[in-house]
Amino acid sequence: MGFFDRLLLTVYVLVTSALLVTGLGSFYHRRALLDSLIHWQPNYVDSQILLVLSLVYLLAGARLFYIALPVVRKKAVVQQVALGRLRIALPAIESLVVRIGLAYSPVIRAVKAKVLAHKGGIGLSINLSVTPEAQVPDLVEGLQKHIQEQMQHTLGITVQDIQVGVESITASKPKVE
């Protein structure tokens, strides 16, 4: 919560408290403030100002409610290590999987990876482009085991599931842009 949000919260609480005290005062028949509000005859300009202030007050309340909502930050894998927490961003994991896949065999031309959520670890969805010389079932099985071992060794992350799809079988290397 930044400085602006703290200031907004302070003003919001003060205004809400003033309205509560006014309401309680009328409840307990202390009508000095309430009578002055009842006998006030607003004109058109005062009504517009009151409307704008009410809208600002409602927007401030909505902003404070939005800030209070829990933030879902599942863009990283978090592990507890000896001296604290280790947070590994999902794009870092995906780029590591791409590097491991490209280095595994020369018949793999391109690799696309996506991290999937699994209990007790992660899952991976990998799409490959391979050459026509590739023996796909053997290649995929070896690649899955290799990626699982490398992820455990490098990041200490347990890979529960690796889904591999072959997008294309091509003889030429993809163009680098």
Side-chain angles (χ1 to χ4, degrees), residues 131-144:
T131 63
E133 298 86 35
Q135 296 177 346
V136 176
D138 295 335
L139 176 71
V140 168
E141 186 177 338
L143 179 63
Q144 287 173 323

Side-chain angles (χ1 to χ4, degrees), residues 37 42 57 73 80 84 94 98 100 109-110 149 154 161:
L37 289 175
Y57 189 72
R73 291 183 182 156
Q80 191 66 32
E94 292 169 356
V98 168
I100 292 170
R109 296 290 184 200
E149 292 168 359
T154 305
D161 181 40

Side-chain angles (χ1 to χ4, degrees), residues 29-50:
H29 305 292
R30 292 193 171 88
R31 299 197 169 261
L33 179 59
L34 189 61
D35 285 341
S36 66
L37 289 175
I38 290 173
H39 296 296
W40 173 55
Q41 298 293 322
N43 59 24
Y44 183 71
V45 175
D46 291 336
S47 296
Q48 285 183 335
I49 291 172
L50 189 59

Side-chain angles (χ1 to χ4, degrees), residues 75-161:
K75 296 182 181 172
V77 174
V78 179
Q79 294 177 327
Q80 191 66 32
V81 293
L83 296 176
R85 292 189 318 174
L86 168 64
R87 184 179 175 275
I88 304 169
L90 297 186
I93 296 171
E94 292 169 356
S95 66
L96 179 63
V97 171
V98 168
R99 286 181 181 216
I100 292 170
L102 290 173
Y104 178 71
S105 174
V107 299
I108 298 175
R109 296 290 184 200
V111 178
K112 295 178 187 172
K114 183 174 181 180
V115 178
L116 307 171
H118 279 279
K119 291 199 178 237
I122 62 168
L124 297 172
S125 175
I126 301 171
N127 291 318
L128 302 175
S129 294
V130 297
T131 63
E133 298 86 35
Q135 296 177 346
V136 176
D138 295 335
L139 176 71
V140 168
E141 186 177 338
L143 179 63
Q144 287 173 323
K145 289 179 183 176
H146 183 68
I147 288 175
Q148 187 177 32
E149 292 168 359
Q150 288 297 313
M151 295 295 287
Q152 181 65 41
H153 175 73
T154 305
L155 300 177
I157 296 174
T158 304
V159 179
Q160 300 292 333
D161 181 40

